[in-house]
Amino acid sequence: MPRRLPPKGDFQPDLFAASFADIPIRDQRDTMERPFFSLSKKPRITPIAYHVGDVWVEVSPNPQFGMATIWDADILLWASTQITEALDRGLPANRTLKFHPHNLLKSIRRDIGGDHYVRLRAALERLTHTAVRTNIRANGKKKFASFHWLESWTEVTDETTGETQGMTITIPDWLFQGIVMKGGVLTIHEDYFLLTGGIERWLYRVARKHAGHQEIGWQFTMRQLYEKSGSTARFSDFAIDVRKLVELNQLPEYSLYLHRNEQEEEVINFLRRSQLGVDDPNYQFERNPKRRLTPAAV
């Protein structure tokens, strides 16, 4: 699936806004590889039940709003980035964040306009009403956490014009603690926001979580990826989609390779492009991990 083009004005930061043009984007690592979100833009009402070893995740959609999608999770990436940046600057961090939707949409590289404000509100509703239960971070104890992706959200509008003056979101304590704990977040490439497909977005997060900067990358069988994804598609259809993405090979930072192991299972390899041979057409220079590259430097 081709990557969409950046929206108009994407690289011009707003005054007095914490612009992602100046700070690295962060993702909470516990949410990156397991099936916490729907990978389809079609409303999902089928729950997710993931149980592998001692780890389990259960996600329940709301009958009215459906399940939060991996595109809705961009809002949580924005929150993770703002909280981490505040801590890096020695400022207090809070689970409640205030913002103007214009600034948030620009930060996650979305277009600005009335329809996009409507979609933002719908995403906030899905995040607020999607219920999650998991024992991740239980540390060997028989306990679990139960929460919604957002505890609440508010919007203040002008009584005369009806225009939005500001919004707030409050993230759950489980997510907040995962962000502020040591090693709780990983930086991700800003072009992640330009990926249009749910599976390719999820594959990038899996690659970033596991392959990281490892010289030999990481690999999963097709079946393992399918079980981790929480996809409602048939395994055969999921495999077809992944093969297409391997052929396109357009994930930021990581190159994809497909082969069969001794058991004749399909295996997908994730390897960082900067660790390929310089004569490889998929090779890319290692990028600055601290700051986003400008258009002229890409």
Side-chain angles (χ1 to χ4, degrees):
M1 186 173 294
R3 190 184 304 180
R4 67 177 175 84
L5 296 174
K8 184 178 180 181
D10 178 54
F11 291 100
Q12 182 173 344
D14 293 316
L15 293 176
F16 311 113
S19 171
F20 279 20
D22 300 321
I23 59 179
I25 304 162
R26 278 83 164 211
D27 198 349
Q28 205 289 310
R29 63 187 309 149
D30 290 328
T31 67
M32 294 176 71
E33 63 163 317
R34 298 184 176 95
F36 280 107
F37 304 99
S38 170
L39 303 184
S40 173
K41 290 185 177 180
K42 295 180 180 179
R44 174 168 177 166
I45 58 174
T46 305
I48 292 174
Y50 170 85
H51 295 258
V52 174
D54 295 330
V55 176
W56 55 268
V57 174
E58 298 174 355
V59 185
S60 301
N62 178 278
Q64 179 179 352
F65 299 103
M67 182 181 293
T69 71
I70 199 165
W71 296 272
D72 299 337
D74 289 355
I75 297 169
L76 304 180
L77 295 183
W78 176 86
S80 298
T81 301
Q82 298 295 328
I83 290 169
T84 307
E85 184 65 14
L87 293 173
D88 287 349
R89 298 187 183 191
L91 301 173
N94 196 297
R95 291 197 296 126
T96 298
L97 297 97
K98 300 179 180 180
F99 60 94
H100 192 283
H102 175 88
N103 296 332
L104 185 149
L105 289 171
K106 286 198 69 174
S107 292
I108 60 176
R109 308 186 77 178
R110 304 277 181 92
D111 289 318
I112 307 300
D115 289 346
H116 296 280
Y117 282 26
V118 171
R119 294 172 189 169
L120 173 60
R121 295 184 187 101
L124 293 170
E125 291 287 25
R126 285 189 292 270
L127 290 166
T128 303
H129 292 89
T130 296
V132 183
R133 298 173 73 248
T134 182
N135 69 342
I136 293 176
R137 280 190 251 130
N139 298 322
K141 300 177 182 178
K142 291 185 177 181
K143 67 176 184 178
F144 66 91
S146 181
F147 56 90
H148 295 78
W149 285 119
L150 291 180
E151 287 191 1
S152 63
W153 70 279
T154 65
E155 181 178 13
V156 178
T157 58
D158 186 288
E159 293 184 357
T160 303
T161 64
E163 294 182 356
T164 298
Q165 296 181 327
M167 288 180 167
T168 67
I169 57 173
T170 300
I171 65 173
D173 187 64
W174 183 89
L175 181 59
F176 181 76
Q177 294 302 326
I179 294 169
V180 301
M181 72 181 189
K182 185 177 180 180
V185 295
L186 293 173
T187 59
I188 66 170
H189 197 288
E190 67 276 359
D191 284 352
Y192 167 80
F193 294 121
L194 303 181
L195 297 177
T196 56
I199 293 178
E200 63 182 331
R201 278 173 158 247
W202 181 78
L203 280 176
Y204 170 80
R205 297 176 86 200
V206 170
R208 180 65 186 91
K209 169 72 181 295
H210 288 282
H213 295 268
Q214 298 190 59
E215 292 184 5
I216 60 174
W218 199 268
Q219 65 181 29
F220 287 103
T221 67
M222 188 74 76
R223 178 65 65 175
Q224 287 174 323
L225 285 175
Y226 179 67
E227 292 173 351
K228 281 178 170 289
S229 72
S231 172
T232 56
R234 296 180 302 175
F235 173 70
S236 58
D237 292 333
F238 175 87
I240 290 173
D241 288 338
V242 172
R243 291 185 203 115
K244 290 179 180 177
L245 293 174
V246 172
E247 184 177 356
L248 286 173
N249 203 11
Q250 292 184 345
L251 291 188
E253 299 184 282
Y254 297 94
S255 194
L256 305 180
Y257 301 92
L258 185 65
H259 70 275
R260 290 188 179 273
N261 60 19
E262 294 179 354
Q263 291 75 38
E264 285 301 307
E265 299 173 303
E266 286 185 299
V267 176
I268 293 85
N269 286 73
F270 302 90
L271 186 62
R272 198 168 182 89
R273 295 179 186 274
S274 60
Q275 293 172 329
L276 299 172
V278 293
D279 57 343
D280 192 307
N282 294 309
Y283 172 82
Q284 290 178 352
F285 287 105
E286 184 69 35
R287 58 197 302 277
N288 188 333
K290 298 296 183 181
R291 290 293 179 266
R292 172 172 163 181
L293 298 176
T294 62
V298 173

